[in-house]
Every structure is written in C-alpha cells, then in structure tokens.
Amino acid sequence: MALFRWKQRYPHTQAFMSEHSFTFDDFQRQACEHIEDGHGVLVAAPTGAGKTIAGEFAVHLATATGKKAFYTTPIKALSNQKYNDLVDRYGLEHVGLLTGDTSINSEAPVVVMTTEVLRNMIYAQSPTLTGLGFVVMDEVHYLADRFRGAVWEEVIIGLADSVQLVALSATVSNAEEFGEWLSEVRGQVDLVVSERRPVPLYQHVLVGRKIHDLFAGEAPTATTDASKVAAHHDVNPALVQVAKQEARTVRDDSRRPRGKRGRGKRAHGHGSGSYGGAAHRSHREKSHFRPPSRGDMIRSLDRADLLPAIVFIFSRQGCDAAVKQVLGSGVELTDAAERAAIIEIVDAHTSGLSPADLAALDADTFTEALLRGVASHHAGMLPAFKECVEECFTKNLIKVVFATETLALGINMPARSVVLEKLVKFNGDIHADITPGEYTQLTGRAGRRGIDTEGHAVVLWQPGLDPRAVAGLASRRTYPLRSSFAPTYNMAVNLVGTVGRGRARTLLEQSFAQYQSDRSVVGGVRTVEKNRRRIEELLAKAACENGDFTEYARLRSKIGELEADAARARKADKRAEALRSVIDLRPGDIIHVPTGRHQGWAVVIDTGVRGSREEPHPQVLTGERHVKRLTMNDFPTPVSPVGRVRIPKRFHPKDAHARRSLFAAFQHRMETIDLRPERWRPGAMDEAVSAEIADLRDQMRAHPCHACPERETHARWGEKAMALERENEKLTARMERRTNTIAASFDRICLVLESLGYLAPLDETSQDEGATAKELTVTAPGRALSRIYNELDLVAAEALRRGVFSGLTAPRLAAVLSTLVYESRRTDSRQRPPRMPDAESQARYDQLRSIHREVGLAERDFRIDRGRDLDLGFAEAAHDWCGGRPLAAVLADTALSAGDFVRWVRQVIDFADQIGKAAALAEDPALRRTCREVSDTMRRGVVAF
C-alpha cells in the first residue's frame, strides 16, 4: 500500500508510531492496523519482542476516540508496573488502578486492573463498564493456569460484543486454534504471530568455572528468523567429552534413580535423571565437574561479560540462601555511584516503615546485599523489597538476581543472561523435568532489546547431566495452550442471575475448554444463537392482527415436513433400510418375509449375522414347518417384527421334536397378534401420515390467520423463520450427541445449588416452551454466594447462612476466615501443629468442618470433585495481627516469610470484604460491621504500606 494511502487509512497508527523513537516491527504495525480497523487481535510473540505495543496502541486509540480502555494483567506487580508506565504517558488524572487491595481513580478513562477485578465487574454489571471500548489482556496465555486461568475465559465470554479485545500472549504452538476460538466467541479477531526474537539467544553450559557453547554450530534460538532454523543441531563435542570423562568416575546407572526410568525409587527429586543430580552423593563428590559455588559462578559470568544475570532457583528459600552465600563469598559488583543510587531507592521504598518493622524484616541484610549488587526476588518477599529489587535491576544498579519462575511472568526485568541452576522443579506433586515451554519462558528474559546485541542462556552442569537432553530441550519451542476452565458455584449463581440457566449453558459451551474438547460445539452454539435472534426478527415481521401467526406458520411448516418425508420415503432406495432391519432382527422375532419362495410368516431362529462385511443370512422356521436359510434377495423392503416367541437355549434345527415344539409356540403366538397389513407391510404408515396431514390442514384452515388478506406476505417471513428453526433443531441434536463436558458439569453444579437452596425452579408459567433444561432463579442465599470469590465459596456461603461467622470479635473472625483462604506450603516447618487461637474460634472451626463435610457429601452424590480441605495454619497469625500484635512477635511464631505473611493477610482482608458484602445481602449488619473492622485493623504497618 502506498504511503499516502496508508496514512489516510491508518491515521491513528501513524500518529502513534511517530511518538516512538524506534521503528516498529512488522508484527507491531500489523497489530495496530487490525485494531484501527475495528477488529479484535491476538498477538503471539516471544518474551521481550515488544507485543505490549499493541496494548498501548489500544489505549492510545481509546483516548483519541473518547472511549474507555481497561488494561488487565494476571498479577498485581505487573498491574502496578503498567499503571506507572501509563501515568508517565497520560498523567495521573487519566489513569486508574484497581487490584484486590488498591483502588485509584477507578472511573478514569484508562484503568489498569487484575483480571479478577474485571470478572467481578462483569458479574456485578458495574456501571464502570459503560463506555468501555477496549480491553487489553496481557499475558493471556495465563488462562492455562490451573488455579486462576478460568477467570480469563469468563472475561472473554462475558464482555459485551461492542468491546474490542486485544490479547497478548507468549509464543504458543496452537496460536491458530486459540485465535479461531476467539473469533468464534468475539467476532473477528485477527491473529498476528511473530516467532522472531528481537535479540538472538545463545545457549551455554557452565562446567565448573568454564562456559561451553551447548551446540556445535549456531543455536536454534540465535537466529532471529524462525524460518531459517535447521531441523537438527549437533551438540558441542566438548560437552560430550565431559560426559564421557565423568562416566569413568560416576557409575553410568547412577545418572538416574534405580529402576527403569527411575520407577524403582518411590520418591526422588531429580525428574527423569537426564538433567543430572540423580547420582548418589558419594558419586557426585567423585565427579571433577561439580557445580561451582554461587560466588565462583558469578565471577565466571562477570569474566565472560554476561552480567547482569537472572539466576532461576525453583525455591524461595534457595533464593534467599543463595544471596547469603554470595555475601559470604566477598563478591562485590557495584561502584560508589551505584551504591549511592541504591540507598536512595531503598529509602524511597521503605521510608514509611517503622524502625521496629524494619528490624523484624531484617532490612539491614537486604540492603547490604543490594549494595553488593545481588538480591533475591520471589513471591515470599515483602512487596516494598521486591519493588526495590525491580527498580535497581532495571536501572542496572544490581547485577545478579536469584529468582523463582514467577519473575518470568510478564514483569519487565530483562537481563543480558539467564542462568538455570537445575532443570528439574517441584510442580506441586512431584519433582519433574521442566517443559520446553517453561524453558522458553525462563530463558526469554535474556537479551535486553535496545541494550544487548545478544542474550545468553546458561545451564549449570550437574553430575550425570546428558548434554543431548539439554540440547533437545533448548531446541524445541512447543508450548501448547490448554484451557483450565471449569464452572464454579459462584460462576453458576452469577450466570443464572444475570442471563438465566439456558443462556448460561450456551455461554459455557462457548468456552475454550469446550472448544478444545469438541471444536464443532462452539461454532454450532454461535450459529444457534445467531439463528435464534434472526428467528425473532422474522417472526416480528410476520406478526398478524388476526392471531398468533407463529402458531399458524408452525402448522404450515409441519404439513410441509410431513409431505416431504412421505415423498422421500416413496422415492428412497429401500435396500440399505432393509439391510439394517434384517441386521437388527433377534432370535424369536416373528416377521413377514416380503417375497421369494418362502414369502409369508416365519419365526427367526438365527440372525445369520457373521461379520460387518458380510450380508446377513437369517435362519427361519416358516409357516410350512420348514427351516430355511434366507438371503437379502428375500428382503427387498424393510421387515418389522410383529411379535416374539421364546427360542430354547439348546434348540437344534435338525431335531424334529424341537421343531414341532417351536412351531406350536409360533402358531399359538400368531393367534394373539394383530396381523393387519399396516402392521408389517412396507409403506403402510402412509395412511397414518396422510391422516395426520389431513388433521393439520383442518387446524390450519380453522386458524384465524388463515383468513388474513396479508397471509402469504406474512407466510414468507414465517417460512424463513421455520427454516431456521429446523436448522437449529438439527444443530442442537448434533451438539447434544457430543460430549458437552462443560455444560454437563454446570448442570451438576446447579443440582447441588438447587439441593441446598441457592437456586430454585421458576414457576411453570415462566418456563420457556423449548428450553432444554428447567429454568432457575437465584434465591437470597444464592445472591450472597454471588459475592464470594473463593475456592471454597459454597462452604463459606453455607457458613454465612448458618451464622458461623456471626457474633465473633474481629480477631476471632479473622482466624476463622483464614481457614477458608490459607493453603500451607509443603515446605512450611512448624515446631508444633497449627491450632485455633481459643475455644470460641475452635468451636466455629468445628462447625465449619461439619459444613465442609456436608457439602462434600452433596458433591459426591452429584459427581463433582470435592473442594480442598480447610487449613488452620494461618489462624493464630491472623488472630494476633488483627488483635494488634507487633510484626516481630507475629513473625516469630510463624514459619512464614514476611512477604508470605503480608500476602496472606491481604487475602484475608479481601475475603473479609467479600463476606461483608455477602452479609449485607443476607441482612446481617452486625457481621458486615465486624468484617469492616477486620479489614481496618489488619490493614496496618507493612500490610498497608
């Protein structure tokens, strides 16, 4: 397209591009063009490629056209980061922020929020949604998350059709499938895929203190053009030689745990063993290629000019221990100017904390590590400390960050290098090899666009490591997106309350989970819904003053269908139908053989079906007492049994006595059977069909609309509507034959809710005539449940209804609520078992456990997976903090880190707010006041900071 014409067609894209100092990549420009064309867009590109440009352009277009834009992210840290970016561009007064515990300028034209906040807005039909033109979903591949991923699909399905969706995803191998689903449920969504890394990524292995290239030639990730990647890549011979040398000292069978593929050992922490570490400690110590200390590792990276680096360790405690190890090694990576800048950043982020809190948080050790140029970064850190680390790292003030994999999730902290100490991690159940998708996500942080000309991924050698397995991991880019969507109790009451049960089932059938299990259902549902709207329009045009023209149109349609069916029956080739009727015969059936030498009545002795490829040859006893084997030539038309006689198990056709006994039973049975020809003669049903048609014609002539002078005009609209109704019936029948797993799960959830009184059937008069399932209404307890967003939402709602939360002090209520929120980590180390803080809270907890069991029994009865167990591991900490106990004292009595403590307190606060809103709907003002007290008293010190 000529430049002049392009500028005329895309003025907003041109203006937006002119605001940036760099040249847009093709995929960035294409995404902006699709958005300006009014289409939704899915942008799938590698980490660091700049796909957020598309989201930022959607915000630019919204402000230029007077519409609202929501920018959603999966985590609060990313929301805060994006909020600051947009404030810098548009100003404080034009940008808002909404997370679980923060609300800033919520009615601004541009609002950054976590995805859960938008989901809750949609269910509550918030007025804030008015004027919404664009929704950007950053890190949309997060919908694969098994704990929170369903929220993304709820938003995508629930957004108004008028809202343009801009979805930003990491490179996934099934982007086309995901894009097709988005187009099915959102209208036109254009797919923009880029596999080009903006910075080439080189792959290495650190053996001892020496860095080796992983591949003999260029790494597959080192080319920025994915189309030029070779099919096969040889491993560096030097690494193969290292493996051979090691094998002389480390027994070969110690590379993996004992037993084939490690199966012989009940539990181990080394995955498949292909990535090393599975050898016994004595064998690892014999190896000349043991991993270096953290200090030596950093020195090796520094010598190779590979700093700054992110070192991924799949353990929070491991990250903190690594920092302490580096501090003990004497490593210093900063100069005087950098240290002064670090002090300023630390002071800015911690100035609101009291000296006592800073002492409890061991802020001195944290600051010392920063001043030496190292830090840790994980979900267990205090948010203020994490923000210090992020700002220092992005300003290149610190050089090494030991981080868990959460850092790879969208936070803008790129580095020159990424180091993976191990390629095995605990996935919540077992220690397993990391997947190619996880490897790609982690190493995607290497290479800073505009700063580095190349990025580097470094794997630490572990005794027993197979370099070929590492090369295979680094070469593959498979990262399929799999839906984790499943209906919940809260989702059910919200959907039934807003759109009704029937429409709710329709929406759920449009989920990505359903699309992946049966791709045809989503398209069919959308077609049925589209047809339904068109039917309503056509019938409105066919409206008649004389009477109900829809009823009249259905009479005409039924007459037409019956006549057409009768014509097809007369013209159709009967052979296939006859074959099926003979195959379906059973021993003992009494039939009329249509033609041939043995025409007449007979009883089937043996069906003669020997295989799917052979025609049946039934053996019969005829009315002349002969046993004959028939062929399909005897059945030119279908045959229909008119009765049955019992065939003895040991009946033998050559036994004369057996034949006489069977013939006697046959004759006796014939005397009791209606032998009129219409029972068995082919085409005999034509008379019945003819009578039905005559009856329908009488009804049609008697109908008031038959005398309407505009009858045929109305009929044309009616016929079009009836044709669409017939199409919908066929589509619905076809879809019902499929595995409607999501809708079936929703139905079971509705049964549980109905059995417990959260949903109730509507009056019979309110039911839709063509509804596939009875319509339901949300009861008062159900409305309270609609405000509870918790994994144990139904247990919480039932506890609210039975008064379990009522009459408690704020600290006791905080303790009880925490049992529904908190989930212990397996690494939690406690000196004594957890318990409730006092007898009263213990009594309420016992009631809660009883309710949990009752709900579990109901779930078992309706074949629903039972919810997780209650957990009282945070009860005492929640009680003490709500009661005003100092931070140091609370932390001393818990195994939690300061960051984990703050995170769980905030979740209890958020849950208390939900229970307070639900209590207002349940007309319990006292409980609502106590919930507010919980929020107010717990939101203090480091939690409020």
Side-chain angles (χ1 to χ4, degrees):
M1 184 185 298
L3 180 61
F4 175 75
R5 291 179 59 198
W6 180 83
K7 288 182 177 180
Q8 282 190 317
R9 181 173 176 179
Y10 299 110
H12 292 292
T13 301
Q14 193 271 332
F16 182 67
M17 291 173 63
S18 67
E19 295 175 4
H20 293 75
S21 58
F22 58 87
T23 302
F24 279 28
D25 290 340
D26 288 345
F27 86 92
Q28 294 172 321
R29 177 182 50 77
Q30 290 168 9
C32 294
E33 290 172 354
H34 290 317
I35 295 168
E36 190 165 356
D37 282 335
H39 304 163
V41 65
L42 168 62
V43 183
T47 301
K51 54 184 172 285
T52 54
I53 283 290
E56 291 168 4
F57 175 69
V59 173
H60 169 88
L61 191 58
T63 58
T65 55
K67 297 179 180 178
K68 283 185 180 179
F70 288 172
Y71 199 111
T72 72
T73 69
I75 54 177
K76 284 186 280 191
L78 191 54
S79 292
N80 293 334
Q81 192 174 75
K82 183 53 64 177
Y83 169 72
N84 292 327
D85 292 345
L86 293 175
V87 165
D88 290 342
R89 178 180 289 271
Y90 298 105
L92 273 170
E93 67 278 11
H94 295 112
V95 183
L97 176 65
L98 288 173
T99 61
D101 52 13
T102 305
S103 177
I104 301 172
N105 199 14
S106 61
E107 296 301 322
V110 178
V111 184
V112 182
M113 63 184 68
T114 51
T115 317
E116 281 87 351
V117 171
L118 179 53
R119 185 272 311 274
N120 298 352
M121 278 186 185
I122 291 171
Y123 281 155
Q125 297 178 309
S126 170
T128 304
L129 296 169
T130 304
L132 181 61
F134 299 87
V135 166
V136 180
M137 302 193 79
D138 205 352
E139 306 289 336
V140 73
H141 54 270
Y142 206 85
L143 66 76
D145 182 80
R146 60 176 176 164
F147 299 112
R148 295 171 55 215
V151 177
W152 274 252
E153 292 191 50
E154 289 179 78
V155 169
I156 291 168
I157 294 170
L159 281 173
D161 292 342
S162 58
V163 177
Q164 273 183 255
L165 181 70
V166 178
L168 311 178
S169 170
T171 304
V172 292
S173 55
N174 59 336
E176 291 78 10
E177 179 188 40
F178 186 45
E180 288 169 5
W181 171 71
L182 287 173
S183 291
E184 289 280 2
V185 298
R186 299 292 315 161
Q188 183 168 352
V189 175
D190 296 319
L191 175 64
V192 177
V193 176
S194 174
E195 295 188 5
R196 176 183 177 274
R197 279 188 55 88
V199 178
L201 177 65
Y202 292 87
Q203 309 278 350
H204 312 281
V205 177
L206 178 60
V207 184
R209 300 181 185 179
K210 185 175 181 181
I211 298 176
H212 295 263
D213 289 337
L214 174 58
F215 295 98
E218 190 175 60
T221 53
T223 175
T224 56
D225 187 348
S227 64
K228 295 181 180 178
V229 175
H232 179 72
H233 301 272
D234 293 327
V235 178
N236 186 348
L239 291 177
V240 177
Q241 189 63 31
V242 168
K244 289 181 179 178
Q245 290 178 16
E246 186 182 68
R248 298 190 186 108
T249 56
V250 180
R251 219 173 53 215
D252 185 62
D253 68 352
S254 69
R255 287 178 175 273
R256 67 173 72 250
R258 289 299 183 93
K260 187 177 180 182
R261 298 186 180 177
R263 293 173 189 160
K265 199 171 182 181
R266 181 171 296 178
H268 57 84
H270 310 289
S272 66
S274 297
Y275 300 133
H280 188 272
R281 181 176 179 180
S282 61
H283 293 291
R284 294 202 302 269
E285 290 174 349
K286 292 178 184 177
S287 173
H288 298 297
F289 307 106
R290 294 193 300 273
S293 68
R294 267 71 181 244
D296 288 342
M297 175 191 70
I298 290 173
R299 293 185 183 99
S300 296
L301 294 173
D302 196 16
R303 282 194 302 271
D305 196 27
L306 296 183
L307 298 181
I310 297 171
V311 183
F312 283 110
I313 301 175
F314 304 120
S315 159
R316 299 177 184 181
Q317 293 180 351
C319 292
D320 294 336
V323 171
K324 291 178 180 178
Q325 190 181 103
V326 173
L327 287 177
S329 71
V331 168
E332 289 195 19
L333 303 171
T334 57
D335 56 32
E338 289 170 335
R339 288 193 288 273
I342 289 170
I343 288 292
E344 288 185 13
I345 292 171
V346 171
D347 289 344
H349 284 280
T350 62
S351 59
L353 297 174
S354 68
D357 285 350
L358 289 172
L361 296 168
D362 196 14
D364 289 343
T365 302
F366 169 76
T367 304
E368 181 188 356
L370 284 178
L371 293 173
R372 300 271 285 276
V374 298
S376 59
H377 187 287
H378 54 75
M381 289 178 67
L382 190 72
F385 285 6
K386 265 202 299 191
E387 290 165 9
C388 285
V389 174
E390 291 164 8
E391 185 172 348
C392 289
F393 195 75
T394 52
K395 290 183 177 179
N396 200 27
L397 298 175
I398 57 176
K399 306 302 186 291
V400 177
V401 171
F402 294 95
T404 57
E405 66 269 32
T406 54
L407 186 144
L409 186 72
I411 299 173
N412 187 22
M413 276 182 64
R416 180 169 298 166
S417 305
V418 162
V419 180
L420 284 82
E421 287 199 348
K422 294 182 179 179
L423 298 176
V424 175
K425 73 167 189 173
F426 185 69
N427 64 8
D429 297 314
I430 60 170
H431 285 86
D433 298 344
I434 67 171
T435 66
E438 290 169 332
Y439 184 88
T440 300
Q441 186 85 355
L442 295 168
T443 57
R445 289 288 156 201
R448 297 165 296 178
R449 185 171 189 174
I451 301 174
D452 300 318
T453 57
E454 56 191 44
H456 300 269
V458 182
V459 175
L460 262 60
W461 182 276
Q462 301 286 340
L465 182 141
D466 181 355
R468 293 163 297 184
V470 179
L473 183 71
S475 301
R476 285 149 57 202
R477 298 186 179 186
T478 54
Y479 181 35
L481 196 59
R482 294 285 177 257
S483 172
S484 61
F485 184 83
T488 65
Y489 297 115
N490 171 276
M491 186 193 304
V493 293
N494 273 299
L495 285 173
V496 171
T498 52
V499 299
R501 182 183 184 178
R503 175 70 177 143
R505 290 182 94 259
T506 300
L507 289 173
L508 294 175
E509 284 174 341
Q510 295 182 48
S511 67
F512 189 42
Q514 184 64 60
Y515 186 80
Q516 288 190 309
S517 64
D518 184 359
R519 294 178 66 173
S520 66
V521 168
V522 175
V525 167
R526 191 173 178 85
T527 302
V528 167
E529 184 66 15
K530 181 181 177 182
N531 287 350
R532 186 186 61 77
R533 291 194 295 266
R534 181 59 178 158
I535 288 167
E536 290 177 357
E537 295 172 3
L538 291 168
L539 292 178
K541 292 180 179 179
C544 178
E545 295 179 357
N546 289 11
D548 185 354
F549 201 86
T550 301
E551 184 180 68
Y552 181 76
R554 288 200 172 108
L555 285 171
R556 288 179 57 137
S557 176
K558 184 65 176 176
I559 292 169
E561 286 180 47
L562 289 172
E563 290 177 338
D565 288 344
R568 280 192 295 271
R570 287 191 298 271
K571 295 177 182 177
D573 179 7
K574 298 287 185 181
R575 180 169 176 77
E577 194 178 341
L579 177 62
R580 171 51 54 193
S581 70
V582 174
I583 290 173
D584 288 343
L585 292 175
R586 294 180 298 166
D589 282 344
I590 297 173
I591 61 173
H592 187 275
V593 181
T595 189
R597 288 191 303 166
H598 308 294
Q599 181 181 11
W601 294 103
V603 60
V604 178
I605 299 172
D606 173 52
T607 60
V609 178
R610 298 290 178 262
S612 59
R613 297 187 180 183
E614 296 181 17
E615 287 187 345
H617 292 78
Q619 188 181 48
V620 299
L621 177 67
T622 69
E624 288 78 32
R625 298 189 184 184
H626 300 309
V627 174
K628 297 294 181 182
R629 183 73 67 176
L630 307 180
T631 70
M632 285 306 299
N633 291 331
D634 296 301
F635 299 96
T637 57
V639 62
S640 178
V642 296
R644 285 181 58 76
V645 294
R646 181 179 173 274
I647 305 290
K649 286 185 178 180
R650 292 183 174 85
F651 177 82
H652 199 287
K654 293 185 179 180
D655 184 335
H657 176 71
R659 287 201 306 271
R660 283 196 299 271
S661 297
L662 178 60
F663 185 76
F666 173 35
Q667 289 292 92
H668 180 266
R669 186 74 180 89
M670 289 291 289
E671 293 173 1
T672 65
I673 293 175
D674 180 2
L675 298 179
R676 287 178 299 171
E678 55 263 31
R679 288 287 313 279
W680 51 268
R681 184 179 296 159
M685 286 299 293
D686 286 354
E687 185 178 340
V689 171
S690 179
E692 184 178 359
I693 290 173
D695 180 57
L696 288 171
R697 287 192 179 280
D698 290 340
Q699 293 181 46
M700 182 183 72
R701 294 188 188 99
H703 198 282
C705 292
H706 192 68
C708 176
E710 300 294 325
R711 183 185 69 198
E712 293 309 310
T713 302
H714 296 162
R716 282 195 294 272
W717 299 115
E719 286 166 5
K720 290 180 180 179
M722 294 304 105
L724 290 175
E725 276 197 352
R726 288 192 294 273
E727 182 182 344
N728 273 3
E729 287 173 5
K730 292 177 183 177
L731 282 171
T732 301
R734 190 183 310 150
M735 289 186 293
E736 286 177 352
R737 289 193 295 268
R738 306 282 183 173
T739 54
N740 295 352
T741 52
I742 302 299
S745 176
F746 172 73
D747 288 340
R748 291 195 295 271
I749 282 174
C750 286
L751 288 171
V752 172
L753 292 171
E754 192 178 353
S755 71
L756 294 175
Y758 291 87
L759 295 175
L762 279 175
D763 296 335
E764 292 296 327
T765 54
S766 304
Q767 300 281 358
D768 287 340
E769 187 177 332
T772 57
K774 67 178 179 181
E775 197 52 78
L776 300 168
T777 185
V778 179
T779 63
R783 287 191 288 275
L785 172 59
S786 72
R787 293 294 178 264
I788 301 174
Y789 301 93
N790 178 274
E791 194 175 348
L792 296 174
D793 46 9
L794 185 55
V795 175
E798 194 68 2
L800 172 67
R801 183 162 69 164
R802 299 189 195 182
V804 175
F805 303 137
S806 301
L808 289 170
T809 63
R812 286 171 176 162
L813 179 60
V816 174
L817 293 180
S818 74
T819 65
L820 290 154
V821 173
Y822 181 70
E823 289 184 76
S824 302
R825 290 170 59 84
R826 294 194 182 186
T827 55
D828 285 355
S829 55
R830 298 181 179 275
Q831 300 192 356
R832 60 176 175 81
R835 61 189 180 190
M836 298 302 289
D838 55 31
E840 180 61 28
S841 57
Q842 179 65 48
R844 300 301 178 97
Y845 175 67
D846 290 341
Q847 294 177 42
L848 204 56
R849 288 176 61 192
S850 176
I851 292 170
H852 185 273
R853 282 193 295 270
E854 289 177 29
V855 170
L857 290 173
E859 289 171 330
R860 184 194 65 185
D861 291 343
F862 291 104
R863 295 179 294 112
I864 294 174
D865 292 337
R866 185 174 178 176
R868 66 170 181 83
D869 290 333
L870 301 169
D871 193 328
L872 47 72
F874 194 63
E876 288 182 296
H879 176 274
D880 292 349
W881 183 253
C882 189
R885 200 173 181 210
L887 176 66
V890 176
L891 289 179
D893 290 342
T894 178
L896 295 173
S897 67
D900 279 334
F901 170 76
V902 170
R903 183 164 63 91
W904 287 116
V905 168
R906 287 178 173 173
Q907 291 204 29
V908 172
I909 291 171
D910 182 54
F911 189 47
D913 289 339
Q914 294 175 26
I915 296 298
K917 292 174 182 175
L921 292 171
E923 299 181 352
D924 189 343
L927 176 57
R928 187 180 186 190
R929 285 193 297 271
T930 308
C931 288
R932 285 178 179 171
E933 186 181 348
V934 169
S935 298
D936 294 341
T937 54
M938 297 188 83
R939 194 176 280 114
R940 63 183 174 89
V942 292
V943 176
F945 182 70

